[in-house]
């Protein structure tokens, strides 16, 4: 029974981390808002389950990397408040990972949502 309790507690800690990132990180708030818009648009356009699954996957990748970026920034800030070239590299590379995933997500979103949006607005 203790194992289940520890498991539930670990889920709680994970949710606290997500909550912290959403409340305090502007970029995470943007990712959440865009994701909500994409999901609503996907439902409205009635895309396939496979297409929706792919969109949800890239959303999850962007969110996960943004959470890791937030963790890395917090760790670097914990170690030093002063400028250090290695600290800058750590923060910049983590931010770069988020950027790459977000750009990939945009490309996937355009490839999936673009054709039905075009059809809705221009072929009626």
């Amino acid at each position: 029974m203790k194992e289940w309790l520890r498991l539930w507690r670990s889920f709680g800690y994970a949710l606290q981390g997500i909550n912290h990132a959403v409340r305090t990180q502007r970029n995470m708030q943007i990712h959440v808002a865009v994701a909500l818009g994409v999901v609503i648009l996907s439902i409205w356009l009635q895309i396939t389950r496979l297409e929706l699954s792919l969109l949800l996957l890239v959303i999850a990748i962007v969110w996960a990397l943004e959470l890791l970026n937030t963790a890395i920034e917090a760790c670097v800030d914990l170690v030093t408040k002063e400028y250090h070239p290695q600290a800058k590299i750590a923060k910049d590379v983590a931010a770069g990972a988020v950027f790459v995933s977000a750009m990939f997500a945009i490309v996937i979103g355009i490839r999936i949502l673009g054709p039905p949006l075009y059809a809705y607005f221009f072929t009626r």
Side-chain angles (χ1 to χ4, degrees):
M1 193 65 147
K2 281 187 174 184
E3 293 82 30
W4 284 104
L5 183 58
R6 278 189 287 212
L7 179 64
W8 281 109
R9 283 186 184 156
S10 69
F11 289 160
Y13 299 141
L15 291 173
Q16 287 175 17
I18 294 167
N19 183 46
H20 171 80
V22 171
R23 282 186 300 101
T24 64
Q25 302 300 307
R26 179 181 48 90
N27 287 344
M28 188 66 180
Q29 294 164 358
I30 292 168
H31 295 312
V32 169
V34 169
L36 182 60
V38 165
V39 170
I40 291 169
L41 187 60
S42 298
I43 292 167
W44 179 67
L45 291 171
Q46 298 178 337
I47 66 171
T48 68
R49 289 188 311 197
L50 180 61
E51 291 170 327
L52 180 59
S53 296
L54 184 55
L55 289 174
L56 293 173
L57 176 62
V58 295
I59 287 168
I61 290 168
V62 171
W63 284 14
L65 287 172
E66 185 64 49
L67 291 167
L68 286 172
N69 181 50
T70 300
I72 288 168
E73 288 183 354
C75 287
V76 168
D77 291 344
L78 181 65
V79 172
T80 181
K81 297 289 185 194
E82 298 172 16
Y83 176 82
H84 190 283
Q86 293 300 105
K88 180 180 180 350
I89 290 170
K91 287 184 173 190
D92 290 353
V93 170
V98 177
F99 180 77
V100 168
S101 69
M103 292 303 105
F104 182 75
I106 289 169
V107 170
I108 294 295
I110 290 169
R111 296 278 298 148
I112 291 173
L113 299 175
L117 279 172
Y118 180 85
Y120 180 80
F121 287 110
F122 299 111
T123 62
R124 292 183 131 216

